Amino acid sequence: MTTAKDIMHPGAQWIPAHETLDRAAQLMRQLNVGALPISDADERLCGILTDRDIVVGCVAMGHDPSRITAGDMAKGTPRWIDAGADVDEVLHEMQDHQIRRLPVIENKRLVGMISEADLAQHLSEDQIASFVEQVYARD
């Protein structure tokens, strides 16, 4: 059985909720990623910050990214998957919630992220086609 841990990109890092968006952008550049899970003071997932969130939700609105925090941008219920979940559960979670990146948690700790690129490397063409149809479907 293929698990979330098998297909994830290991070594994901949190951005603390109190960190500013300019620092988040620097960390994204340093790690060469487009999204960071946001953690509260107890290292619990409270959201995911994307590069698009920074540009559209802050800069394009005329706000100063050195004054807006990652926590200010955290909205909705964060989704995640247990490291031992099978690939069907991963697909189900991402498809049902139309999300493109999914944090992987093991023993209450962030151990990785699953992105579309990770899925593309581990799924059949039929599974990828179904995923794309579900996640990018417009209601």
Side-chain angles (χ1 to χ4, degrees), residues 22-68:
D22 60 339
R23 176 65 189 121
Q26 292 165 359
L27 186 56
M28 285 179 187
R29 182 186 65 213
Q30 177 186 341
L31 298 172
N32 194 31
V33 297
L36 294 169
I38 305 168
S39 71
D40 65 13
D42 297 320
E43 287 197 353
R44 289 183 306 223
L45 182 66
C46 62
I48 294 183
L49 179 68
T50 66
D51 47 7
R52 188 173 194 284
D53 292 333
I54 295 170
V55 172
V56 175
C58 179
V59 176
M61 300 296 287
H63 301 297
D64 181 351
S66 68
R67 294 183 177 266
I68 306 294

Side-chain angles (χ1 to χ4, degrees), residues 1-98:
M1 169 180 82
T2 302
T3 66
K5 192 169 187 173
D6 295 330
I7 65 173
M8 73 179 191
H9 181 84
Q13 282 190 240
W14 296 111
I15 185 81
H18 64 80
E19 284 287 357
T20 58
L21 297 186
D22 60 339
R23 176 65 189 121
Q26 292 165 359
L27 186 56
M28 285 179 187
R29 182 186 65 213
Q30 177 186 341
L31 298 172
N32 194 31
V33 297
L36 294 169
I38 305 168
S39 71
D40 65 13
D42 297 320
E43 287 197 353
R44 289 183 306 223
L45 182 66
C46 62
I48 294 183
L49 179 68
T50 66
D51 47 7
R52 188 173 194 284
D53 292 333
I54 295 170
V55 172
V56 175
C58 179
V59 176
M61 300 296 287
H63 301 297
D64 181 351
S66 68
R67 294 183 177 266
I68 306 294
T69 67
D72 294 334
M73 301 299 287
K75 295 179 177 57
T77 303
R79 309 305 307 180
W80 57 273
I81 196 83
D82 184 84
D86 71 34
V87 71
D88 289 333
E89 291 175 75
V90 171
L91 286 171
H92 187 265
E93 185 70 18
M94 293 176 82
Q95 289 170 342
D96 282 2
H97 300 283
Q98 293 187 309

Side-chain angles (χ1 to χ4, degrees), residues 79 91-101 131-139:
R79 309 305 307 180
L91 286 171
H92 187 265
E93 185 70 18
M94 293 176 82
Q95 289 170 342
D96 282 2
H97 300 283
Q98 293 187 309
I99 54 177
R100 297 177 181 112
R101 297 173 181 104
F131 171 79
V132 169
E133 184 179 322
Q134 294 293 319
V135 171
Y136 290 95
R138 300 278 185 216
D139 291 331

